[in-house]
Amino acid sequence: MFSRVAGIHPEMAQRLVALGLLEPVRDSAGELWFARDQLLAVARIRRLRVGLGLNYSSLGLVADLLDRVAELERQLRMTSSRRTGGNPWM
């Protein structure tokens, strides 16, 4: 069902799991279940693959770097907001 909603072949979903690009949970019967945020991960993978022409093995590294940049930007905004008393124009 996840593959159909995500618009990918089930084998592609398995490949992305094997590469660590998708993070499902396994139930007691051994079935994989994907959280809704994994649909966003598939969309991101597609954008990186098509937009930058990245191969699947490099997607994990690029995704991790993008996550780190986003976290650093978030921390910078928080620090900047504290210094200016919440006023972004100061």
Side-chain angles (χ1 to χ4, degrees):
M1 184 168 168
F2 174 80
S3 297
R4 184 177 50 225
V5 173
I8 59 176
H9 193 277
E11 289 178 7
M12 178 55 68
Q14 290 174 342
R15 182 176 184 187
L16 295 175
V17 169
L19 290 168
L21 298 172
L22 293 179
E23 299 173 357
V25 293
R26 195 173 295 273
D27 66 14
S28 60
E31 295 292 322
L32 297 179
W33 292 89
F34 295 86
R36 289 185 181 177
D37 68 340
Q38 296 301 281
L39 292 172
L40 296 174
V42 170
R44 182 186 207 187
I45 290 165
R46 284 182 162 168
R47 286 191 309 272
L48 291 172
R49 178 101 169 104
V50 172
L52 298 177
L54 298 174
N55 63 37
Y56 289 105
S57 59
S58 64
L59 285 172
L61 174 64
V62 173
D64 286 344
L65 291 172
L66 289 172
D67 289 343
R68 288 181 183 184
V69 168
E71 176 60 22
L72 290 171
E73 288 176 338
R74 185 188 68 76
Q75 290 176 4
L76 183 62
R77 280 192 305 273
M78 286 177 38
T79 302
S80 177
S81 178
R82 279 190 217 124
R83 281 192 202 136
T84 62
N87 185 348
W89 305 109
M90 292 183 95

